[in-house]
Amino acid sequence: DDDDDDDANLDTPSDRGMESNGSKKKADDDNTSSKDVDGSAESNKDSSESPSTPDHAIVDAKSKAKASEMTSKDYYFDSYSHYGIHEEMLKDRVRTETYQAAILQNKEVFKDKIVLDVGCGTGILSMFASQAGAKHVYGIDCSSIIDTAKILVEKNGFKDKITLIKGKVEEVVLPHGVEQVDIIVSEWMGYFLLYESMLDTVLYARDKWLVPDGIIFPDKAVMYLCAAEDAAYKADRIDYWRNVYGFDFSPIREIALKEPLVDVVEGRSIVTNPVPILNIDILKCTKEDLAFKVPFRLTAARNDDVHAFVAYFECAFTQVPKPVGFSTSPWSNYTHWKQTVFYLPEKEYICQNEEISGDIECKPNEKNNRDLDITLNVKFHGTLSKFDGTMEYCLR
């Protein structure tokens, strides 16, 4: 894939076209909603059959207790049981074809090696690895999609080459007496790169099983921040709440401002240069490195309004003879990760060559470590506009 080879350089965003599609989080939300509706329907059905029996009340109470005991991890794994999420990820050609190129264009790296696929999903990366000549591939996933993956593996002739294990990486023991693996492959990236905290699991697998000088696919990731003009969308998603059919709904506006928007941002909307805010070497980083606070300084490329900050990331596979990579930047081809948008309370006007400075902090939410708490401290003293403030966001 020629485009993927061009993206291996993480230093500069590439200037390419963009497509449009749905979002992984939307699929997640939609599936969660449908599950809740189905659950309610089932409960109502039971109530109509035995509306006043003590036994039913006991069963209903137990069901509610069980539901209340479900952790964030339970909901996380359950959401990945639905095929719609996997369909969207598989149809993300930038994502899937980059992994395919990284593996199949480097067959000499995989020949006769033991490979671990962390969060294997439908097993597509396991099959790529086996196709590239791996001696054996072990795939681990905690969601029930792995039951379907086992069928797919057998149907495509990999039954003797791929072993799929249902469970949590932290609890699994690899079969056949395997204590080390040569290569780890994983598609762990979430929105804002770190959302859902799956990288924690990859690092655990690395420390538990990867041989010294082993290979991780991908092994590098960089996240960037820039500023954007986004008047139309901000008016629709944020400022709408100022006047809803003549009523003041502004308290909801305050809530909406705290929730970053995951959506496509066009390259022409970007007002400043992008700057790196996080650089990860997955071979060396620790879990603690994933909570960060770093300064930034953005320079305006033109005179324009600034409505929001925009984050995106790039990943690369650099441990191989033919390195490849991809970008989720506003200038690149569409991916299901899109971009992450952090709206300012009010627009600011910036002139060419003026600077916006500050720092950005990111850490896991205390109640649900798969969510992210993100804080932006911003200082801007321009010719026509001034802003000093702190904005707190939660990506969930």
Side-chain angles (χ1 to χ4, degrees):
D1 187 348
D2 293 336
D3 286 342
D4 294 330
D5 285 335
D6 291 340
D7 278 344
N9 184 343
L10 297 187
D11 294 331
T12 58
S14 54
D15 187 9
R16 297 186 292 180
M18 187 165 53
E19 298 172 5
S20 169
N21 207 332
S23 81
K24 177 177 166 187
K25 179 166 171 53
K26 182 179 186 301
D28 193 354
D29 293 342
D30 289 348
N31 286 320
T32 302
S33 299
S34 65
K35 183 172 76 70
D36 290 342
V37 170
D38 292 341
S40 299
E42 188 68 25
S43 176
N44 290 340
K45 177 183 176 183
D46 292 342
S47 298
S48 64
E49 291 173 353
S50 52
S52 59
T53 61
D55 288 345
H56 171 72
I58 293 171
V59 171
D60 187 52
K62 287 182 178 179
S63 298
K64 289 181 179 179
K66 184 176 180 181
S68 68
E69 291 167 4
M70 287 185 70
T71 66
S72 60
K73 289 184 179 181
D74 295 324
Y75 287 111
Y76 168 75
F77 291 124
D78 181 72
S79 72
Y80 278 88
S81 301
H82 304 280
Y83 87 94
I85 290 177
H86 297 280
E87 178 186 11
E88 182 176 31
M89 291 189 290
L90 289 168
K91 287 181 176 179
D92 182 340
R93 294 185 59 185
V94 171
R95 165 200 179 269
T96 308
E97 291 179 8
T98 302
Y99 275 90
Q100 183 182 38
I103 295 170
L104 297 184
Q105 291 179 12
N106 293 283
K107 290 184 177 180
E108 62 270 39
V109 174
F110 284 82
K111 183 174 175 57
D112 298 327
K113 294 296 193 296
I114 302 298
V115 179
L116 176 65
D117 183 356
V118 177
C120 62
T122 58
I124 186 72
L125 301 187
S126 295
M127 287 187 266
F128 286 155
S130 189
Q131 193 176 34
K135 181 179 180 179
H136 203 87
V137 182
Y138 296 91
I140 304 174
D141 204 298
C142 202
S143 81
S144 59
I145 192 66
I146 201 167
D147 299 324
T148 302
K150 290 177 181 179
I151 297 171
L152 298 176
V153 162
E154 182 172 358
K155 188 173 184 63
N156 286 278
F158 295 106
K159 183 179 180 181
D160 297 329
K161 291 288 187 178
I162 298 175
T163 300
L164 299 182
I165 307 156
K166 186 174 183 179
K168 298 178 181 179
V169 166
E170 295 81 0
E171 301 171 359
V172 161
V173 175
L174 295 181
H176 311 139
V178 173
E179 295 183 356
Q180 289 187 312
V181 300
D182 302 296
I183 300 171
I184 292 176
V185 298
S186 182
E187 193 276 81
W188 53 265
M189 298 77 74
Y191 302 133
F192 195 69
L193 186 61
L194 301 177
Y195 177 63
E196 292 178 341
S197 300
M198 188 177 164
L199 182 54
D200 295 3
T201 302
V202 175
L203 299 184
Y204 185 94
R206 177 199 67 187
D207 296 341
K208 184 176 182 180
W209 286 302
L210 189 64
V211 299
D213 300 321
I215 295 174
I216 299 181
F217 279 62
D219 61 296
K220 299 288 195 300
V222 181
M223 184 154 54
Y224 297 86
L225 188 72
C226 52
E229 180 280 324
D230 198 17
Y233 220 89
K234 185 170 186 284
D236 181 57
R237 297 297 299 269
I238 305 296
D239 295 335
Y240 163 79
W241 299 106
R242 293 185 189 276
N243 185 332
V244 179
Y245 296 97
F247 299 107
D248 182 354
F249 274 41
S250 56
I252 295 182
R253 181 180 185 273
E254 300 307 310
I255 297 172
L257 279 168
K258 292 180 179 294
E259 296 183 359
L261 176 70
V262 175
D263 211 335
V264 172
V265 178
E266 297 183 5
R268 65 189 179 190
S269 297
I270 304 303
V271 176
T272 71
N273 63 315
V275 297
I277 55 172
L278 181 66
N279 196 320
I280 300 175
D281 183 340
I282 301 160
L283 287 163
K284 300 177 182 178
C285 74
T286 65
K287 180 179 177 180
E288 289 69 31
D289 294 330
L290 307 183
F292 64 91
K293 182 176 182 179
V294 296
F296 65 84
R297 187 177 298 273
L298 308 175
T299 303
R302 63 176 186 264
N303 299 343
D304 211 333
D305 291 326
V306 171
H307 297 92
F309 290 97
V310 176
Y312 65 90
F313 64 87
E314 298 178 341
C315 289
F317 306 73
T318 71
Q319 291 181 275
V320 290
K322 297 179 181 177
V324 296
F326 68 87
S327 174
T328 66
S329 85
W331 302 275
S332 300
N333 284 338
Y334 170 88
T335 73
H336 75 283
W337 291 288
K338 304 180 181 181
Q339 291 83 40
T340 306
V341 183
F342 303 89
Y343 283 110
L344 290 167
E346 305 294 341
K347 72 177 180 181
E348 305 298 331
Y349 190 82
I350 195 168
C351 298
Q352 186 175 13
N353 294 325
E354 290 183 342
E355 294 183 341
I356 305 175
S357 62
D359 59 65
I360 180 169
E361 181 179 11
C362 175
K363 58 185 179 181
N365 181 272
E366 291 183 359
K367 293 183 178 179
N368 181 353
N369 72 339
R370 294 191 180 277
D371 293 347
L372 295 175
D373 290 336
I374 302 162
T375 303
L376 275 163
N377 295 302
V378 179
K379 183 177 182 180
F380 172 59
H381 288 184
T383 304
L384 302 175
S385 186
K386 290 179 172 57
F387 177 76
D388 288 287
T390 298
M391 288 82 65
E392 296 182 345
Y393 307 90
C394 183
L395 186 57
R396 57 190 176 188

